[in-house]
């Protein structure tokens, strides 16, 4: 799953490099075709951003369930074999979320952090839900900021394209 995400990021970087190339070369050569291609690419990227944002907020419940399932799988692995990778995984969850266990702190044998705050310690599944709910709004804000930058790029590319057209018509 992680390697797939990395391939997607590398692909997105390559596409963004091509889009930047169209914009840069179009502006340097004063080419309406390249600037129009740049605008079209930005329009497709903007549509993708909006679509991803809508799916992120619609699929919030599924994301929470998947994250909780990952924790429950790690918890079950730990209960079967408390030594090794499962111990490290469950401990990192507990440290990151400041929680301990699926139900309550009194569960025996769980690797809980020493400086845990007791009100939060009752249920890691609830903490996973809280973290995703809290941070999804931050992701939304960043997405809106990136979308607004994309809109500015589209506006400036159209202004440049129209300016080039009017300059050629004057000649």
């Amino acid at each position: 799953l992680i390697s797939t995400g990395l391939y997607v990021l590398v692909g997105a970087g390559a596409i963004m490099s091509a889009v930047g190339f169209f914009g840069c070369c179009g502006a340097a050569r004063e080419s309406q075709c390249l600037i129009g291609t740049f605008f079209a690419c930005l329009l497709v990227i903007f549509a993708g951003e909006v679509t991803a944002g809508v799916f992120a907020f619609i699929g919030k419940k599924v994301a929470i369930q998947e994250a909780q399932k990952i924790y429950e799988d790690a918890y079950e692995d730990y209960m079967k074999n408390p030594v090794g990778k499962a111990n490290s995984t469950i401990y990192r969850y507990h440290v990151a979320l400041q929680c301990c266990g699926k139900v309550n702190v009194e569960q025996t044998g769980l690797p809980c952090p020493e400086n845990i705050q007791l009100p939060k310690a009752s249920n890691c599944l609830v903490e996973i839900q809280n973290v995703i709910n809290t941070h999804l709004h931050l992701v939304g804000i960043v997405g809106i900021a990136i979308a607004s930058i994309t809109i500015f790029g589209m506006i400036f590319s159209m202004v440049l394209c129209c300016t080039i057209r009017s300059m050629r018509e004057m000649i």
Side-chain angles (χ1 to χ4, degrees):
L1 187 63
I2 291 175
S3 63
T4 302
L6 292 176
Y7 289 134
V8 167
L9 289 176
V10 168
I15 290 170
M16 292 305 294
S17 295
V19 170
F21 175 77
F22 290 141
C24 184
C25 287
R29 298 184 51 89
E30 296 181 0
S31 169
Q32 285 181 313
C33 180
L34 286 175
I35 293 174
T37 304
F38 177 71
F39 176 81
C41 290
L42 285 181
L43 185 63
V44 168
I45 290 169
F46 179 73
E49 290 171 351
V50 170
T51 304
V54 168
F55 281 130
F57 281 102
I58 289 174
K60 178 173 72 167
K61 184 180 270 188
V62 173
I64 290 170
Q65 290 171 349
E66 287 296 319
Q68 288 174 338
K69 184 178 179 332
I70 291 170
Y71 176 78
E72 288 174 345
D73 290 345
Y75 180 85
E76 295 301 323
D77 288 345
Y78 176 79
M79 288 304 184
K80 290 177 188 172
N81 182 13
V83 180
K85 185 178 177 184
N87 186 3
S88 173
T89 303
I90 204 80
Y91 183 75
R92 287 176 197 236
Y93 260 106
H94 293 164
V95 169
L97 297 173
Q98 285 294 300
C99 64
C100 192
K102 290 191 330 185
V103 181
N104 57 22
V105 161
E106 287 82 25
Q107 296 169 334
T108 58
L110 283 174
C112 298
E114 295 85 23
N115 57 355
I116 193 168
Q117 299 170 357
L118 285 178
K120 291 179 80 176
S122 62
N123 192 340
C124 284
L125 298 177
V126 171
E127 285 304 313
I128 290 170
Q129 182 175 356
N130 292 341
V131 166
I132 291 176
N133 284 334
T134 303
H135 289 80
L136 194 60
H137 297 310
L138 294 175
V139 171
I141 290 169
V142 170
I144 290 170
I146 291 172
S148 63
I149 291 170
T150 305
I151 290 172
F152 280 123
M154 290 178 358
I155 291 169
F156 290 143
S157 67
M158 274 296 104
V159 167
L160 182 60
C161 191
C162 292
T163 303
I164 290 170
R165 177 177 288 154
S166 66
M167 293 289 284
R168 289 200 178 150
E169 288 176 356
M170 287 187 351
I171 294 176

